[in-house]
Amino acid sequence: MAAPLLVIGLDGATLDLVRPWAAEGRLPVLRGLMQRGTWGRLRSTVPPATFPAWTSLVTGVNPGRHGIFDFSARVPGTYRVRFVNGSHRRAPALWTRFSAAGRRVAVLTVPATYPPEPVAGVMVSGFDSPLATAIDGSFVHPRALYGEIQGLVGRLPFADFQEVDTGPGWHADALARLLDGIERRTTLARTLLVRERWDAFMVVFGESDTVAHHFWRFHDRRSPRHAPGPFGDAVRLDAAIGTLLAAAPPDATVAVVSDHGSGGAGDRVVHLNRRLAECGLLAFTRRTPAARLAGAARGIALRALPHRWLGGLVRRLPAAASRLESAHRLGGIDWRRTTAYSEELDYHPSVWLNLRGREPEGTVDAADYHTVRDDVARGLLEWRDDAGRGVVRRVWRREELYRGPFVASAPDLLVELARTDGYTASCLRSGGPGPALRRLAPHEYGSGKGSGMNGSHRRHGLVVLAGRDVRAAGEIPAVEILDVVPTLLALGGLAVPEELDGRPIEVALQASAPLVADPVPAPATPPIDYGAAEERDVRARLTALGYLEPGA
């Protein structure tokens, strides 16, 4: 009989920290797992962003096949976006396969899983659900479990604080809230773990990602933004892992995984749309007094209003918020004279062509698509700073990264910015003409989301495997994020479908895993879209998290 699986996700965890901290004895639980198992780097998606990365990890297929590229997707025929949810995933996940095989599963707070699926067991959705700060009953399957969760932990929060204005006192308050969230999530997971012998149990902690974004400069003495302070090792999840191991069956196979890694952000800022303008590929319009006033009002709202008020105002005044965002984000672009443009997302640098027939004011003919796209890529790769160093390390055409029926939903070009002395640049919104490359001023070093956080995503996360059926192979070469599900299926005693993009990590397995035809079909039902009220709530939540802005 296969041993039960315990999968612990640490969002944004990196071996660049785990390896030395484990060696120093600061992470005794993880160190013990590494010593008796197999571990190494886990190569994430491009971009290494939360939704596509976790969805790829739990399905074993690339975004071109599962259909999730970001928190949002383009609305055809517009310059707007709509929100995606777990029902838009077009490939079965790990828990879907276990449930189909009659196995019992528990799934807690995995990103991109709202609404919860009717699994053979329990599921509590991740933070892409329609509530601003914590779960409600709509997150939970079966619904009756919600009352028990309330009695056990009171509330189960996500990052329930604003991450835009990180002024004096912010880090201490954020740390207290993050530690509280870890404690509550650990308590819930421990309680469910001892309730029954689950065949597969998965829980994801998002706090490690939040800390990496906002606290990196406190521990990294080499960072150009380094600041001494009491937050050098702000959140340690090692104790939470130990609590879960103690509650799990002694024969459990344990996997600790992250969706991507993390690293330091330097003091350099790039504005992709300004670079496109320098190349003659984008034109700005003169911002009207009304547009400037709207931008100022938006900035005041983001920084001055209490977090809970901001979410409520965005939900209750969607038309006003939309006007503010349109003036801020799109009002400065002259679409009739624009060939290519970027959404300038810090965690997802990319470029779209202003394609005729796809965009409402498209200028690029379909027949010229490949030629124009190559010209845009060349303009980005030829970009140099004052020292002659390349600003962009690499540009991918979307079909170079993805394969499957949903490739056309991806941006036309995906961009990897070059690092300077190992530190990434921040990709921030242009808002109009100006320098395409600049340095942060010292007072900006501790900026929050939207202004250049001091920690950023890296492509290499981590995987640690230990248990009866895992070889004690020690460190292994980097493996793909798509290899996690095939490996877990093999360790869980289930067939590994041939059609998955990933393959079992054979060096980590005591026995070889046979490949078979896929017994679990992809979902055949249309995606379940949010209603208008739910979408306003989701918009407010992602705005508060800093991934989107009001009215986006």
Side-chain angles (χ1 to χ4, degrees):
M1 176 182 291
L5 293 178
L6 172 59
V7 184
I8 302 171
L10 307 179
D11 201 301
T14 172
L15 275 177
D16 292 342
L17 297 182
V18 168
R19 187 204 312 264
W21 287 356
E24 294 167 9
R26 299 167 66 185
L27 303 174
V29 179
L30 270 171
R31 179 180 182 177
L33 290 172
M34 295 163 74
Q35 287 176 337
R36 64 186 178 92
T38 297
W39 57 277
R41 295 183 182 273
L42 193 64
R43 190 178 296 111
S44 187
T45 53
V46 176
T50 299
F51 269 26
W54 279 116
T55 306
S56 295
L57 186 148
V58 301
T59 61
V61 301
N62 81 95
R65 292 182 59 193
H66 62 61
I68 305 295
F69 294 91
D70 193 14
F71 295 105
S72 59
R74 294 284 303 277
V75 176
T78 76
Y79 293 110
R80 295 184 290 108
V81 298
R82 64 173 172 82
F83 292 99
V84 302
N85 56 52
S87 69
H88 290 83
R89 190 188 72 238
R90 309 313 297 152
L94 175 70
W95 49 83
T96 315
R97 297 183 180 280
F98 269 77
S99 294
R103 308 289 187 88
R104 295 284 292 170
V105 301
V107 185
L108 303 182
T109 58
V110 179
T113 57
Y114 188 93
E117 299 171 46
V119 296
V122 300
M123 175 178 278
V124 179
S125 296
F127 74 87
D128 56 333
S129 37
L131 195 68
T133 57
I135 72 164
D136 67 6
S138 69
F139 288 62
V140 182
H141 170 83
R143 185 73 175 234
L145 177 63
Y146 178 58
E148 184 177 347
I149 293 173
Q150 286 182 302
L152 181 65
V153 298
R155 59 193 296 272
L156 192 63
F158 302 113
D160 57 344
F161 47 88
Q162 65 84 20
E163 298 182 47
V164 176
D165 187 354
T166 55
W170 182 89
H171 289 88
D173 179 67
L175 177 56
R177 290 173 179 264
L178 291 167
L179 292 172
D180 176 69
I182 291 171
E183 182 178 356
R184 292 172 189 268
R185 199 181 319 269
T186 303
T187 297
L188 174 61
R190 181 186 64 226
T191 301
L192 293 175
L193 268 170
V194 300
R195 173 171 298 180
E196 65 176 273
R197 184 181 172 92
W198 305 97
D199 294 294
F201 190 107
M202 182 172 184
V203 58
V204 171
F205 292 87
E207 290 81 3
S208 43
D209 181 72
T210 305
V211 166
H213 280 305
H214 294 291
F215 291 74
W216 190 274
R217 71 192 190 116
F218 294 111
H219 88 272
D220 185 358
R221 297 181 182 276
R222 294 181 56 250
S223 169
R225 302 204 226 171
H226 176 63
F231 306 112
D233 52 357
V235 170
R236 300 183 208 171
L237 282 157
D238 196 65
I241 298 173
T243 297
L244 300 185
L245 291 182
D251 63 336
T253 297
V254 181
V256 179
V257 294
S258 64
D259 56 331
H260 55 73
S262 298
D267 61 357
R268 187 159 74 168
V269 173
V270 301
H271 299 282
L272 286 178
N273 281 339
R274 292 177 182 175
R275 173 57 184 173
L276 294 174
E278 289 178 348
C279 296
L281 299 166
L282 181 146
F284 293 106
T285 61
R286 179 176 296 179
R287 297 174 68 85
T288 65
R292 290 194 294 271
L293 180 61
R298 171 192 164 276
I300 292 171
L302 283 174
R303 288 168 173 78
L305 291 176
H307 170 61
R308 294 178 187 273
W309 288 17
L310 180 60
L313 286 172
V314 173
R315 290 194 298 272
R316 289 166 176 77
L317 300 173
S322 180
R323 286 194 297 270
L324 288 174
E325 176 59 19
S326 296
H328 168 74
R329 184 178 181 185
L330 300 178
I333 297 177
D334 184 346
W335 297 110
R336 294 170 299 176
R337 296 188 295 134
T338 290
T339 298
Y341 63 98
S342 174
E343 294 179 81
E344 296 182 305
L345 301 173
D346 197 9
Y347 65 94
H348 192 328
S350 60
V351 174
W352 295 86
L353 298 192
N354 195 22
L355 189 63
R356 186 172 286 118
R358 184 181 68 183
E359 275 76 6
E361 298 182 66
T363 60
V364 178
D365 289 327
D368 299 325
Y369 176 84
H370 293 287
T371 299
V372 173
R373 190 173 59 162
D374 289 346
D375 290 342
V376 175
R378 188 178 308 110
L380 294 173
L381 291 169
E382 291 175 351
W383 192 3
R384 295 289 184 270
D385 64 14
D386 291 341
R389 298 170 298 191
V391 176
V392 172
R393 180 177 183 270
R394 186 168 180 180
V395 178
W396 285 274
R397 284 73 174 168
R398 59 189 180 186
E399 65 273 12
E400 294 178 311
L401 293 171
Y402 312 125
R403 54 193 180 279
F406 305 110
V407 173
S409 297
D412 299 300
L413 294 169
L414 293 103
V415 180
E416 180 184 350
L417 300 175
R419 300 181 196 173
T420 303
D421 299 324
Y423 294 87
T424 59
S426 296
C427 177
L428 302 183
R429 290 185 178 168
S430 298
L437 183 65
R438 69 177 180 88
R439 296 282 183 181
L440 288 172
H443 73 272
E444 298 177 286
Y445 287 174
S447 295
K449 285 190 173 179
S451 302
M453 296 178 292
N454 60 89
S456 60
H457 292 181
R458 294 286 194 274
R459 192 174 180 194
H460 284 94
L462 63 83
V463 57
V464 180
L465 298 167
R468 182 191 67 195
D469 299 321
V470 176
R471 289 180 183 169
E475 184 176 10
I476 60 174
V479 295
E480 301 293 331
I481 198 168
L482 302 174
D483 297 335
V484 171
V485 155
T487 304
L488 294 178
L489 290 173
L491 289 168
L494 296 186
V496 180
E498 287 183 326
E499 71 168 29
L500 296 183
D501 294 329
R503 286 294 178 264
I505 306 171
E506 294 288 352
V507 68
L509 302 178
Q510 293 284 13
S512 297
L515 303 180
V516 301
D518 194 347
V520 180
T525 56
I528 302 170
D529 289 318
Y530 294 124
E534 290 178 311
E535 181 148 342
R536 285 196 296 271
D537 284 344
V538 176
R539 186 189 309 277
R541 173 60 187 149
L542 293 183
T543 295
L545 286 170
Y547 287 106
L548 294 174
E549 299 179 10

